[in-house]
């Protein structure tokens, strides 16, 4: 049985708990909660998390599903098929368009994960995303939040014909193996004195500098990822880098081109400026 919470609107703090078998849960997640909807902000929401009181991170308990919220426009809705071996639910997001696909992939977990261990879960989740060969990256800010809530699937008044949803019974629910994940030790930032000179190597690790570079090159920022940057090698808006390198599962100091096969470019952030 899948346990989850629902909320009447984005301002609601009191969760309503439910539990259903996968088939019923999948039907609910793929049936439009509203048709001809004009505003997303008025839709009800759900969360894979059970809460010990009001909805907040400190009250987050067990999390029953892994949710990939994909809005970078770099991959199609059919990406859900890469997860077909597991029980999977997928639907387009409210602002989805054919030119800029946005969608959500929901993977029920074989064993609910406790919120205090969620960092282990989201790190393993990124490994799974990359393992199946999915393009781009899901919204890391949403993925890292064990108290996250999501808008229910709905059809907008304009463009409803481009929206779709699917619930597919796989061979088994996802067993993510988060218990075996060893978290990286976070380095203690060295205090920089007012007039002290620092090396370029040290500077490029500083989050505020990397964020400033992202803003300077007019990058699109989603969670910890700065992307849609002109690639110095192929000139397409396909370069990306991470703002907080120690907040990513595989620290990457420089930039990379998202077109690994046709370009494969990478280099220092200074090349982007």
């Amino acid at each position: 049985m899948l346990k989850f919470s629902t909320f009447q609107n984005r301002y609601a703090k009191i969760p309503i708990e439910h539990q259903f078998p996968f088939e019923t849960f999948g039907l609910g997640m793929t049936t439009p909660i509203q048709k001809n909807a004009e505003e997303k902000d008025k839709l009800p929401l759900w969360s894979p998390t059970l809460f010990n009181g009001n909805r907040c991170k400190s009250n987050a308990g067990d999390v029953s599903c892994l949710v990939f919220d994909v809005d970078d426009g770099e991959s199609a809705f059919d990406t859900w098929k890469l997860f077909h071996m597991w029980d999977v639910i997928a639907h387009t997001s409210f602002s989805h368009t054919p030119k800029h696909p946005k969608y959500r992939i929901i993977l029920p977990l074989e064993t609910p994960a406790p919120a205090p261990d969620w960092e282990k879960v989201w790190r393993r989740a990124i490994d799974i995303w990359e393992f199946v060969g999915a393009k781009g990256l899901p919204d890391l800010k949403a993925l890292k939040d064990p108290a996250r809530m999501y808008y229910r699937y709905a059809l907008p008044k304009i463009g409803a014909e481009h929206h779709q949803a699917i619930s597919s019974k796989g061979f088994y629910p996802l067993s993510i193996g988060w218990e075996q994940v060893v978290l990286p030790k976070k380095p203690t930032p060295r205090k920089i004195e007012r007039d002290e000179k620092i090396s370029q190597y040290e500077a490029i690790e500083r989050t505020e500098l990397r964020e400033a570079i992202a803003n300077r090159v007019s990058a699109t920022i989603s969670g910890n990822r700065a992307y849609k940057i002109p690639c110095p090698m192929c000139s397409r808006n396909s370069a990306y880098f991470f703002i907080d390198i120690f907040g990513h599962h595989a620290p990457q100091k420089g930039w990379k081109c998202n077109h690994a096969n046709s370009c494969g470019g990478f280099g220092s952030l200074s090349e982007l400026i």
Side-chain angles (χ1 to χ4, degrees), residues 83-95:
F83 301 87
H84 73 278
M85 68 288 289
W86 300 296
D87 296 346
V88 58
I89 299 161
H91 65 78
T92 48
S93 301
F94 191 80
S95 56

Side-chain angles (χ1 to χ4, degrees), residues 107-141:
L107 297 164
L109 299 174
E110 184 177 47
T111 303
D117 289 315
W118 192 249
E119 183 178 356
K120 294 183 178 181
V121 178
W122 68 252
R123 287 182 180 276
R124 181 55 61 86
I126 296 175
D127 291 339
I128 293 173
W129 178 268
E130 295 176 347
F131 172 75
V132 300
K135 295 181 180 179
L137 272 179
D139 185 337
L140 295 182
K141 184 178 180 180

Side-chain angles (χ1 to χ4, degrees), residues 70-207:
V70 186
D71 61 5
D72 60 8
E74 296 182 12
S75 57
F77 173 74
D78 283 351
T79 296
W80 75 265
K81 295 179 181 178
L82 297 174
F83 301 87
H84 73 278
M85 68 288 289
W86 300 296
D87 296 346
V88 58
I89 299 161
H91 65 78
T92 48
S93 301
F94 191 80
S95 56
H96 164 84
T97 65
K99 291 185 177 180
H100 192 115
K102 296 184 181 182
Y103 57 91
R104 192 166 295 136
I105 296 175
I106 305 165
L107 297 164
L109 299 174
E110 184 177 47
T111 303
D117 289 315
W118 192 249
E119 183 178 356
K120 294 183 178 181
V121 178
W122 68 252
R123 287 182 180 276
R124 181 55 61 86
I126 296 175
D127 291 339
I128 293 173
W129 178 268
E130 295 176 347
F131 172 75
V132 300
K135 295 181 180 179
L137 272 179
D139 185 337
L140 295 182
K141 184 178 180 180
L143 185 61
K144 292 179 180 181
D145 185 359
R148 191 77 171 192
M149 58 180 181
Y150 303 91
Y151 285 105
R152 294 283 303 275
Y153 175 55
L155 298 178
K157 189 173 183 179
I158 300 175
E161 66 275 11
H162 301 303
H163 287 253
Q164 52 187 316
I166 185 73
S167 177
S168 174
K169 182 70 176 173
F171 297 110
Y172 32 70
L174 175 63
S175 178
I176 201 166
W178 56 268
E179 299 92 341
Q180 287 76 45
V181 175
V182 178
L183 296 178
K185 293 182 179 180
K186 296 182 179 179
T188 302
R190 184 172 69 84
K191 184 177 180 181
I192 306 297
E193 300 298 332
R194 182 185 180 96
D195 298 323
E196 180 184 356
K197 293 183 178 180
I198 62 173
S199 68
Q200 180 181 1
Y201 181 83
E202 290 179 296
I204 206 63
E205 293 183 350
R206 296 177 63 170
T207 301

